[in-house]
C-alpha cells in the first residue's frame, strides 16, 4: 500500500517568521513519524526558504497556488521556476478560497498544465458549496472536475495528478460538521467515475483522491478508513504541531 498523503495548508499563517520558525522546529522533532507518510507543508511564500531548511529530512514543500505561466515578467507573481528553485514538489490549485476571489475553472486548467510542464504535481481542489436532495452537487462536481482538467488527458498526467475533494460547506467548521464517512465514500466513487471518463479506468485508478474540510485528530480514522481516500488536506489543525502529529499517527494506524 502506498503511504498516506498529508498536506498541511497553512494559508496565511503563522503571522510572523518567528512563529513559523517555532512551528517548523516543533514539526522537525517528529522526523521518524512523518517519514511514514507523504507529508507536504504548504506555507505562505514568505516562509518557503525557512521551511525548506527545516523540513528537508521528513517532508516536501508545497505551494498554495501556482502562477499560470513561466514565461515573461509578472510583477507580484511567484512563477513555477521560482517555486522549483525552492524545491516545491506539489502545488495546491483551485482552492475554494481562491475560486471565491474569481479563479475560474479555465484559469485552474491553465495552472494545472503549467504545473505539469514545470514538473510540479498539481493538487486540484474541487468541492460544492451546497448539497441538494436531487443530487445537483454531483453534476456540479463532474463539471468542475472536467473543466479544471480541460486539456489534461494523457496517461502520464494522470500518474502525477492528485485531487482534493473539499466541500466548501465543510471548510473551517468543527470536526463534527465535516462530511460523513458514508457521503465521502459515495463521493469518492463518483469522482473516480468522472476521472475514468477523462483518463480511462486504468489511469484513473492511479489518481489519489484526498479529503479536506474540518479535519482534526478526532475524525481522521472515520474519514480515512474504508472511504477510498488516500490522504488529507488539512488547514487549521496543521498549524498546531501536536494536532498535526496526532493526525499523522491516526492516518498511519487506520
Ligand atoms: P480546514 O481547512 O481544515 O481549516 O477546514 C481545509 C482547507 O481549506 O484546505
Amino acid at each position: 500500500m502506498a503511504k498516506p498523503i498529508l498536506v498541511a495548508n497553512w494559508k496565511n499563517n503563522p503571522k510572523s517568521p518567528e512563529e513559523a520558525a517555532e512551528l517548523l522546529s516543533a514539526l522537525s522533532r517528529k522526523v521518524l513519524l512523518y517519514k511514514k507518510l507523504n507529508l507536504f507543508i504548504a506555507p505562505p511564500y514568505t516562509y518557503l526558504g525557512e521551511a525548506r531548511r527545516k523540513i528537508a529530512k521528513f517532508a516536501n514543500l508545497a505551494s498554495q497556488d501556482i502562477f499560470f505561466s513561466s514565461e515573461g515578467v509578472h510583477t507580484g507573481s511567484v512563477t513555477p521556476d521560482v517555486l522549483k528553485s525552492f524545491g516545491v514538489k506539489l502545488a495546491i490549485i483551485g482552492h475554494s478560497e481562491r475560486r471565491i476571489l474569481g479563479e475560474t475553472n479555465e484559469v485552474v486548467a491553465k495552472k494545472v498544465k503549467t504545473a505539469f510542464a514545470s514538473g510540479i504535481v498539481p493538487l486540484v481542489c474541487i468541492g460544492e458549496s451546497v448539497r441538494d436532495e436531487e443530487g445537483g452537487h454531483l453534476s456540479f462536481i463532474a463539471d468542475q472536475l472536467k473543466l479544471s482538467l480541460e486539456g489534461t488527458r494523457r496517461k502520464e498526467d494522470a500518474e502525477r495528478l492528485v485531487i482534493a475533494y473539499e466541500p466548501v460547506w465543510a471548510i473551517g467548521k468543527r470536526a463534527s460538521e465535516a462530511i460523513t464517512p458514508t457521503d465521502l465514500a459515495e463521493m469518492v466513487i463518483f469522482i473516480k467515475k468522472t476521472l475514468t471518463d477523462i483518463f480511462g479506468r486504468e489511469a484513473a485508478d492511479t489518481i489519489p483522491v484526498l479529503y479536506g474540510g474540518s479535519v482534526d485528530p478526532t475524525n481522521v480514522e472515520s474519514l480515512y478508513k474504508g472511504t477510498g481516500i488516500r490522504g488529507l488536506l488539512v488547514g487549521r489543525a496543521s498549524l498546531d504541531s501536536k494536532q498535526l502529529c496526532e493526525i499523522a499517527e491516526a492516518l498511519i494506524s487506520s
Side-chain angles (χ1 to χ4, degrees), residues 168-242:
V168 182
W169 50 267
I171 294 177
K173 304 272 171 50
R174 286 172 302 177
S176 57
E177 291 171 73
I179 196 167
T180 65
T182 313
D183 286 348
L184 180 56
E186 268 173 23
M187 184 51 92
V188 172
I189 291 169
F190 183 76
I191 290 169
K192 287 273 176 193
K193 187 189 156 296
T194 310
L195 290 170
T196 301
D197 293 345
I198 302 172
F199 295 102
R201 180 73 190 273
E202 202 186 320
D205 274 351
T206 64
I207 303 172
V209 178
L210 314 185
Y211 170 78
S214 298
V215 173
D216 79 8
T218 64
N219 60 7
V220 173
E221 187 181 346
S222 62
L223 290 167
Y224 185 62
K225 222 173 172 173
T227 54
I229 59 162
R230 292 263 304 276
L232 298 164
L233 173 54
V234 182
R236 284 156 306 151
S238 73
L239 292 162
D240 178 328
S241 59
K242 187 166 168 281

Side-chain angles (χ1 to χ4, degrees), residues 2-254:
K3 291 181 188 175
I5 301 168
L6 177 57
V7 184
N9 177 12
W10 286 5
K11 307 189 180 185
N12 48 321
N13 295 294
K15 299 299 182 193
S16 71
E18 292 76 21
E19 286 170 84
E22 222 169 274
L23 177 55
L24 289 162
S25 300
L27 299 187
S28 61
R29 282 180 217 120
K30 296 283 174 187
V31 174
L32 293 180
L33 169 70
Y34 290 133
K35 278 172 115 169
K36 292 183 187 158
L37 358 108
N38 279 315
L39 175 64
F40 292 88
I41 307 286
Y45 291 137
T46 45
Y47 308 143
L48 280 176
E50 177 79 1
R52 182 189 201 187
R53 279 188 292 280
K54 292 220 163 105
I55 68 168
K57 286 205 179 83
F58 61 93
N60 283 302
L61 263 190
S63 58
Q64 297 174 18
D65 186 26
I66 194 168
F67 190 65
F68 54 75
S69 173
S70 290
E71 311 292 322
V73 284
H74 305 283
T75 300
S77 298
V78 181
T79 46
D81 46 349
V82 176
L83 294 178
K84 280 203 79 174
S85 77
F86 278 89
V88 166
K89 294 278 188 297
L90 173 144
I92 299 172
I93 301 179
H95 189 280
S96 60
E97 286 155 13
R98 297 201 58 81
R99 290 183 186 263
I100 219 164
L101 297 175
E103 187 156 300
T104 59
N105 289 323
E106 201 182 0
V107 172
V108 171
K110 231 169 153 180
K111 290 182 172 184
V112 171
K113 279 184 258 178
T114 307
F116 280 131
S118 320
I120 293 176
V121 170
L123 168 56
V124 181
C125 298
I126 53 168
E128 77 282 0
S129 303
V130 283
R131 290 204 149 204
D132 66 63
E133 304 264 298
E134 282 82 49
H137 56 283
L138 293 176
S139 48
F140 175 86
I141 289 294
D143 289 348
Q144 195 182 42
L145 188 52
K146 283 181 180 160
L147 294 171
S148 297
L149 297 176
E150 187 75 51
T152 299
R153 293 286 176 274
R154 299 178 314 162
K155 189 169 168 278
E156 310 89 89
D157 293 338
E159 281 162 6
R160 293 182 300 157
L161 175 67
V162 183
I163 302 295
Y165 170 62
E166 293 204 301
V168 182
W169 50 267
I171 294 177
K173 304 272 171 50
R174 286 172 302 177
S176 57
E177 291 171 73
I179 196 167
T180 65
T182 313
D183 286 348
L184 180 56
E186 268 173 23
M187 184 51 92
V188 172
I189 291 169
F190 183 76
I191 290 169
K192 287 273 176 193
K193 187 189 156 296
T194 310
L195 290 170
T196 301
D197 293 345
I198 302 172
F199 295 102
R201 180 73 190 273
E202 202 186 320
D205 274 351
T206 64
I207 303 172
V209 178
L210 314 185
Y211 170 78
S214 298
V215 173
D216 79 8
T218 64
N219 60 7
V220 173
E221 187 181 346
S222 62
L223 290 167
Y224 185 62
K225 222 173 172 173
T227 54
I229 59 162
R230 292 263 304 276
L232 298 164
L233 173 54
V234 182
R236 284 156 306 151
S238 73
L239 292 162
D240 178 328
S241 59
K242 187 166 168 281
Q243 286 198 50
L244 190 69
C245 173
E246 286 169 12
I247 291 171
E249 278 166 346
L251 267 181
I252 293 160
S253 61
S254 292

